[in-house]
Amino acid sequence: MLTQRPRGTFDILPEEVRKWQRLEQATRLAFHHYHYQEVRTPVFEHTELFSRGVGDTTDIVEKEMYTFVDRGDRSLTLRPEGTAGVVRAYVENKLYGAGGLSKLYYMGPMFRYEKPQKGRNRQFHQYGCEALGAEGPEIDAEVISLNLDILRQFGVERAKVELNSVGCPVCRPRHKELMLEKLMPHRDQLCTDCQKRLEKNPLRIFDCKNEQCHAVLQESGAPTILQALCDDCKTHFDGVQSYLDQMDVPYVINEFLVRGLDYYTRTAWEVTVEGVGTVAGGGRYNGLVEQIGGPVTPGIGFAGSYERALVALEQQGFQGDAPDALDVFVAVADKTAQPAAMALLYALRSAGLTADRDYQGRSLKSQFKTADREAAKFVAVLGDAEVQNKTATLKQLATGEQQEVPFEQVVDFIRKNLSKGGLAQ
Ligand SMILES: [Zn+2]
Ligand SMILES: [Zn+2]
């Protein structure tokens, strides 16, 4: 056990980390272009935040949370998603005080006790944003286009937006009644989860993975929420679609789409990739800020999974970037050169160059092999002769050219040659 990671977690080793760093950089850049600012909230919160914020009839809260009692007898939970914490921070720090729109983004680990499978882990990593304080369909269109844009920046091909409206506190109760009316006679044919949903939140029956439940939905003639929207919700949804059309953001309407969280109102969407499934998703949540104890504030946001994006990219043959090559490898030919080697390394690194050396007492020949393997652009050889002459012998590995350079000029010489770009780029 001592040398095994917990089930559902994984190590991201250096070669893999390079892929992550590329996606993280693309994330930050895209959010920057859309003028969102980063916010960092704790990895654990009071359990109540999620049971109230995410909704206590959701699978997340019912089955998947990592909840524990700390030494002070408080019930805490590792965050299973990002929105509740960001909204809590927005309320607690009174970010609404300025009266403007808050455009916030985040990235980091989330935790859910799920059955591990490809691209789905118990510790997983999300990027996401929340726009708090705007109600009109313009911001919906912005957030949806941003969601898709980030995936494009990652290089994910054929990502598709599936769009729906899940109504509001006016049309949802009416829709719930219609569903109950149509489904009650077929109650026994529904799975046990859906029987419970029927009482608490029948809309979520559309989200059931059970085929039998879907058949019952169809046969019973229960209306989709889209068929039961109130006029305001319908106008809003039409607005979102017309802006997306204007912006040339591709989407399809999926009237069966219901997000697995209770707080969504009106716009809801998922971004899917063929062969991978859902890679991101989001929605509007006009009641959440109030529910968490803040003033009535409309909000909308999305979250995407880095793991799922990587599955999509790997399906396309994405390899990740090659490791950064060394600018200089310092090779020590004789023991007397050790002090000079340490001084040179320090000077090179201080000057912003990437430099390394051998620390295992290897022969000059194997030091050159290492330099080759690390794709070093220069090898700086220091031996008895160089120490005597206060020089270093600089060899460009690409050309094989070699030159003795006075010690104090080594950094400048290498910098000048690197900026010429004539060497391995
Ligand atoms: Zn409505
Ligand atoms: Zn079901």
Side-chain angles (χ1 to χ4, degrees), residues 214-256:
H214 271 267
V216 173
L217 269 174
Q218 302 247 295
E219 285 158 25
S220 71
T224 62
I225 180 72
L226 204 56
Q227 293 164 337
L229 290 185
C230 68
D231 287 346
D232 286 348
C233 282
K234 199 176 171 312
T235 306
H236 186 271
F237 194 50
D238 288 344
V240 176
Q241 291 173 71
S242 83
Y243 288 127
L244 291 176
D245 292 339
Q246 289 292 321
M247 297 161 82
D248 251 341
V249 175
Y251 64 91
V252 292
I253 303 290
N254 174 2
E255 58 181 331
F256 296 109

Side-chain angles (χ1 to χ4, degrees), residues 167-168 170-171 230 233:
C168 73
V170 173
C171 46
C230 68
C233 282

